[in-house]
Amino acid sequence: MKIGYLGPKNSFTYQATNAAFLNQTQLAFSTIQKCLEATIAKEVDMAVIPIENSLEGSVHASMDYLFHSKELTVQQEIILPIRQQLMATNPGIPEVIMSHPQALAQSQAYLSAHYPDVAIVQTPSTTYAAEYATSHPQEKVAAIASKQAAAAFGLTIIGQDIQDNDQNETRFWVITRKDKPTESTSKVTQGKLSFFLTLPSNQPGVLHKMLAAFAWRGIDLAKIESRPLKTSLGQYYFIIDLAVEDNVALAYYAFEEVSLLGAKIRVLGPYEIRIVK
């Protein structure tokens, strides 16, 4: 089985992929779009992409592509603890600190306290930053990346676990094609079920009417978020996560009720949750 993931190697997405598919063939892609396009084209069987970070929120590139792609669904969620490390070729004070924008944002308090005057440079990935620091030791560059990246590129960790919040976690989704055979949804007893919701009209109380279909059935909404439809100003779609146990059938009854009220629904899942320690 071939598994695509948002690369490069030693990224946090790579770690999440290893947690679920250690013994499978893994292919890195430079963007989320390319990763998902490869899944649709059957170049890979599944794809692992980031969906949400507990500090920085949703990964909009993932959400928007999935919303506009009807061929894909979610098979599994992987929750990975994110531990950021500051690394360099030598322990001296760096002149530049490089990393992916999210890693920099997740370490903002540490950087402000310890390196307030050091230049900050954004890079395409944390792995890119670590590789750059290794290949340019004369520039006194430090990188923010994972412990795996430090080991892979022979860098010294000069700041350990520098993320602003020890509860920093990222959700990843394992994406597969809808036409790919999967286990029966009746076998999913613990986990989530997500769906995209587009409202029939912008009227007072219309979202409340839709959500009431889940409330009176006792279905827990784990998350609700709006994203612009990119059609005209003020038009949105919603991504909603449901916590499901043995009530998957009830959720589908709620979907039917919401559809009868004029809303458009596209379901992702249900899927199980894997927590990486």
Side-chain angles (χ1 to χ4, degrees):
M1 193 162 59
K2 293 182 179 180
I3 310 299
Y5 69 93
L6 177 63
K9 190 175 180 180
N10 298 309
S11 66
F12 288 110
T13 310
Y14 172 76
Q15 293 179 40
T17 304
N18 274 341
F21 304 103
L22 181 60
N23 298 318
Q24 304 296 332
T25 301
Q26 300 175 8
L27 300 176
F29 292 87
S30 59
T31 66
I32 290 170
Q33 179 175 337
K34 289 179 180 179
C35 194
L36 295 177
E37 285 176 346
T39 309
I40 294 173
K42 301 184 180 181
E43 296 172 18
V44 296
D45 296 288
M46 299 180 189
V48 181
I49 59 170
I51 287 295
E52 181 183 23
N53 177 263
S54 58
L55 302 185
E56 294 303 303
S58 294
V59 180
H60 295 153
S62 297
M63 291 295 187
D64 289 345
Y65 190 95
L66 289 171
F67 174 74
H68 292 287
S69 175
K70 296 179 173 59
E71 299 97 329
L72 301 174
T73 190
V74 182
Q75 187 185 73
Q76 184 182 159
E77 178 171 291
I78 303 168
I79 299 177
L80 181 75
I82 304 299
R83 302 289 180 262
Q84 304 286 6
Q85 318 298 322
L86 184 65
M87 57 197 69
T89 54
N90 62 73
I93 296 177
E95 295 179 354
V96 176
I97 295 176
M98 306 176 68
S99 196
H100 186 273
Q102 280 216 341
L104 293 170
Q106 292 165 14
S107 311
Q108 188 173 15
Y110 178 91
L111 296 177
S112 297
H114 295 84
Y115 301 98
D117 301 319
V118 175
I120 303 297
V121 175
Q122 296 184 356
T123 60
S125 69
T126 55
T127 303
Y128 177 97
E131 185 175 12
Y132 188 95
T134 295
S135 57
H136 297 79
Q138 72 282 1
E139 296 185 18
K140 295 184 179 179
V141 173
I144 299 176
S146 65
K147 286 184 179 179
Q148 288 83 347
F153 294 105
L155 294 169
T156 300
I157 294 178
I158 59 176
Q160 187 170 358
D161 294 346
I162 67 170
Q163 66 279 349
D164 295 344
N165 191 326
D166 288 338
Q167 304 304 314
N168 188 12
E169 296 176 323
T170 294
R171 298 168 59 207
F172 299 85
W173 274 354
V174 178
I175 304 296
T176 188
R177 298 182 301 277
K178 283 189 174 181
D179 61 1
K180 190 175 185 299
T182 57
E183 292 186 355
S184 169
T185 56
S186 63
K187 295 182 180 179
V188 180
T189 57
Q190 290 185 335
K192 290 181 183 176
L193 191 156
S194 299
F195 66 98
F196 294 115
L197 171 68
T198 306
L199 300 177
S201 60
N202 188 15
Q203 298 176 356
V206 65
L207 179 60
H208 171 75
K209 292 178 182 177
M210 304 299 166
L211 298 183
F214 302 94
W216 75 261
R217 288 181 171 89
I219 301 172
D220 182 24
L221 270 64
K223 176 188 175 182
I224 179 170
E225 180 179 353
S226 63
R227 289 285 299 147
L229 274 172
K230 300 182 180 180
T231 52
S232 60
L233 191 64
Q235 299 298 313
Y236 301 91
Y237 74 86
F238 295 86
I239 174 71
I240 300 176
D241 294 344
L242 304 178
V244 294
E245 294 180 1
D246 55 357
N247 57 345
V248 174
L250 278 179
Y252 279 93
Y253 287 130
F255 294 150
E256 184 177 357
E257 179 180 336
V258 170
S259 297
L260 290 173
L261 291 172
K264 294 181 180 179
I265 283 183
R266 188 154 59 80
V267 179
L268 302 173
Y271 50 90
E272 294 181 326
I273 301 172
R274 179 193 295 259
I275 301 175
V276 180
K277 300 298 185 181

